[in-house]
Amino acid sequence: MSSQEVQQSSSGGVKVGVQKFGRFLSGMVMPNIGAFIAWGIITTLFIPTGWFPNEDLATLVGPTITYLLPLLIGYTGGKMVHGTRGGVIGAMVTMGVILGSDITMFLGAMIVGPLAAWILKKFDQALEGKIPSGFEMLINNFSSGIIGAALSIGAYKGVGPLVTAFSNLISSGVEFLINHGLLPLANILIEPGKILFLNNAINHGILSPIGLEQSLATGKSIMFMLESNPGPGLGILLAYWLFGKGAAKGSAPGAIIIQFFGGIHEIYFPYVLMNPRLILAVIGGGMAGTFTFSLLGAGLTAAPSPGSILAYFALVPKGGYFAMISGVVIAAAVSFVIGALLLKTSKNAQGDIEEATTKMQDMKASSKGAETAGAQAGTVSAAAGTVKSKEDVSKIIFACDAGMGSSAMGASIMKKKVKAAGLPIQVTNTAINDLPSDADIVITHKSLTERARLKVPGAEHISIEDFLKSPEYDALINRLS
């Protein structure tokens, strides 16, 4: 193999690794977007600075973001690795990391949830076939309990303090840039810090105290606008709304209302976490907004809480509206343009993140002279596939890696076709690892068909290349009608 081929193969492997990582983050975050939105609605309405302040109902806000949301992330990540047992131990160990730190532990949950499940999975594999008959439940329960307890203590003593130290490092970096007059560069640290849910530590721990001193002296401060600028988040959500796919695209409009008008920036953080490249978009938007604020002399009289555009209008000193609006609009525009380019590039080149991964795997296999995953799947499907008669079909399952993106779109299209044909068939979508054993027909992207066949060998398996417009849909409806 030539040096150029080796370099291309190495580059392809890196890209596949990055896309696998992004897909895994997406799988942890997307199933819980509804919980994030629910928390955002409660926060927007009932906190002291919300639309309808209510001290009693506002007590839901703190425990939800401190405990419930990280636990959901940890459970989901663990379940992706090792099913329900992995989810349970993932949530248990996440509790340890939550209590081991004073900051919100989304990052910690994303680390320890899957890790704990992986450790339990390896233990279960080591004992497979070696447990005496009748002791299975006893050993399974106690093994997960003992391992979970040990890992929880480790997370409490180790991971929590490490993530806290990382938070303090980012905060120190932001303070250094501010003290040395490098204000727009501060967003290089502020925006990633926000995405990791360190926004309150940065805003209230560093920026607001400096801003208060400046506001007392001059009547306004730009420091109140560095972290709270709603422009970068608006740009990301607009990009997802116009160029995203699946659940992310569908939930973006509601998130825009909560983020831009409600001021709950946390609502857009998961959208960046599931596609880490988009951190470049919020950094670019944040830097552009801060530069504009500095150039035009923008500032607020106090810290906007929450960071809503409405709070911005309420706290702008006389004559400062143009500078404020310009900074927010430019931040949103830059974030949107960069985010749209990243999303469109990914979509046009690969289809979606699941198809992108499989295509990169095919490219990598081809570079080594191996048969591609797609070709393998197609060969298996054509060689031995079971074909169900219409009398035997009552459930059609669309499956993809996460079970929420491309498979959801394919299932939606097929439901309409089944309904129009008057067929008494249930159509659903799921993650490929959760395929039910009673599926009659399983429809997957061609690169996943072999995995689906191993999961449900008795079903009819149909391989497709495009979930949005596949000729196999109409052919199947015609056969079953």
Side-chain angles (χ1 to χ4, degrees):
M1 183 181 290
S2 68
S3 60
Q4 184 178 3
E5 289 174 327
V6 171
Q7 186 176 5
Q8 290 175 345
S9 176
S10 175
S11 175
V14 171
K15 290 179 181 177
V16 169
V18 171
Q19 290 180 345
K20 281 185 176 180
F21 178 67
R23 183 183 62 187
F24 190 76
L25 287 178
S26 174
M28 279 195 283
V29 172
M30 281 310 300
N32 300 304
I33 283 290
F36 278 90
I37 292 177
W39 173 82
I41 292 172
I42 293 170
T43 304
T44 302
L45 293 178
F46 302 124
I47 62 174
T49 53
W51 290 97
F52 307 103
N54 186 301
E55 184 178 353
D56 184 33
L57 295 177
T59 57
L60 289 167
V61 173
T64 299
I65 194 171
T66 301
Y67 299 106
L68 177 62
L69 296 180
L71 287 171
L72 287 174
I73 295 283
Y75 177 85
T76 305
K79 186 176 181 181
M80 291 172 62
V81 174
H82 194 37
T84 301
R85 274 170 64 77
V88 171
I89 195 172
M92 180 63 201
V93 179
T94 297
M95 194 65 187
V97 82
I98 290 172
L99 297 177
S101 175
D102 294 330
I103 63 175
T104 306
M105 266 296 139
F106 287 89
L107 177 61
M110 289 180 173
I111 295 172
V112 302
L115 178 61
W118 180 81
I119 292 173
L120 181 62
K121 181 179 181 179
K122 291 301 178 182
F123 180 85
D124 288 348
Q125 290 174 345
L127 288 187
E128 189 172 357
K130 301 176 183 177
I131 301 176
S133 179
F135 287 84
E136 293 86 357
M137 181 176 292
L138 178 68
I139 293 176
N140 285 339
N141 287 340
F142 271 86
S143 63
S144 61
I146 294 170
I147 293 173
L151 293 178
S152 297
I153 295 171
Y156 177 80
K157 291 294 187 180
V159 180
L162 282 176
V163 177
T164 301
F166 179 66
S167 166
N168 294 334
L169 181 63
I170 290 181
S171 298
S172 299
V174 172
E175 191 169 9
F176 173 84
L177 292 173
I178 291 172
N179 292 339
H180 288 76
L182 303 173
L183 211 52
L185 296 181
N187 289 95
I188 296 177
L189 294 175
I190 289 174
E191 300 303 334
K194 286 177 65 177
I195 300 305
L196 296 175
F197 292 87
L198 307 178
N199 50 315
N200 288 329
I202 293 172
N203 192 22
H204 300 302
I206 300 174
L207 302 178
S208 290
I210 298 174
L212 285 172
E213 292 182 8
Q214 293 181 350
S215 183
L216 288 173
T218 65
K220 65 178 181 180
S221 175
I222 192 176
M223 295 300 165
F224 295 133
M225 310 177 84
L226 299 188
E227 182 274 336
S228 63
N229 186 352
L234 175 63
I236 287 292
L237 294 172
L238 285 172
Y240 264 107
W241 187 8
L242 296 177
F243 302 109
K245 301 184 74 174
K249 178 183 179 71
S251 60
I256 287 174
I257 296 174
I258 294 172
Q259 187 268 340
F260 193 64
F261 296 103
I264 309 303
H265 292 207
E266 287 89 345
I267 204 73
Y268 80 84
F269 299 170
Y271 291 82
V272 179
L273 286 173
M274 67 183 176
N275 192 339
R277 297 192 310 162
L278 293 177
I279 193 65
L280 298 175
V282 290
I283 289 175
M287 292 180 67
T290 298
F291 178 77
T292 305
F293 290 147
S294 300
L295 185 66
L296 300 178
L300 299 179
T301 58
S305 178
S308 162
I309 189 62
L310 301 178
Y312 264 48
F313 273 97
L315 296 172
V316 171
K318 185 177 181 180
Y321 288 100
F322 175 76
M324 180 274 289
I325 294 172
S326 298
V328 172
V329 170
I330 289 175
V334 171
S335 178
F336 169 76
V337 170
I338 298 175
L341 286 173
L342 292 173
L343 289 175
K344 279 182 66 67
T345 300
S346 175
K347 181 177 67 173
N348 289 342
Q350 314 293 342
D352 62 15
I353 196 158
E354 293 155 355
E355 294 179 15
T357 302
T358 56
K359 287 185 179 181
M360 289 303 300
Q361 289 170 336
D362 287 350
M363 291 165 61
K364 182 178 179 182
S366 296
S367 70
K368 295 181 179 180
E371 186 178 21
T372 67
Q376 292 170 348
T379 302
V380 172
S381 180
T386 301
V387 177
K388 298 273 187 176
S389 64
K390 62 181 181 180
E391 292 81 9
D392 296 329
V393 177
S394 61
K395 181 181 290 187
I396 298 174
I397 306 290
F398 282 74
C400 62
D401 274 304
M404 296 192 66
S406 51
S407 64
M409 293 185 289
S412 177
I413 294 170
M414 180 59 76
K415 284 179 183 178
K416 295 177 181 178
K417 293 181 179 293
V418 166
K419 183 177 180 180
L423 298 174
I425 297 175
Q426 178 186 0
V427 181
T428 59
N429 60 286
T430 185
I432 194 166
N433 289 332
D434 297 329
L435 274 169
S437 59
D438 61 347
D440 299 310
I441 296 178
V442 177
I443 301 176
T444 57
H445 185 266
K446 64 180 184 179
S447 60
L448 297 177
T449 301
E450 177 61 15
R451 285 175 59 189
R453 186 179 295 278
L454 293 173
K455 195 75 174 177
V456 192
E460 175 183 346
H461 291 266
I462 298 177
S463 299
I464 61 174
E465 294 187 358
D466 188 345
F467 279 96
L468 289 178
K469 47 181 179 180
S470 177
E472 283 84 354
Y473 294 169
D474 290 330
L476 178 60
I477 292 297
N478 291 334
R479 174 159 65 86
L480 297 179
S481 297

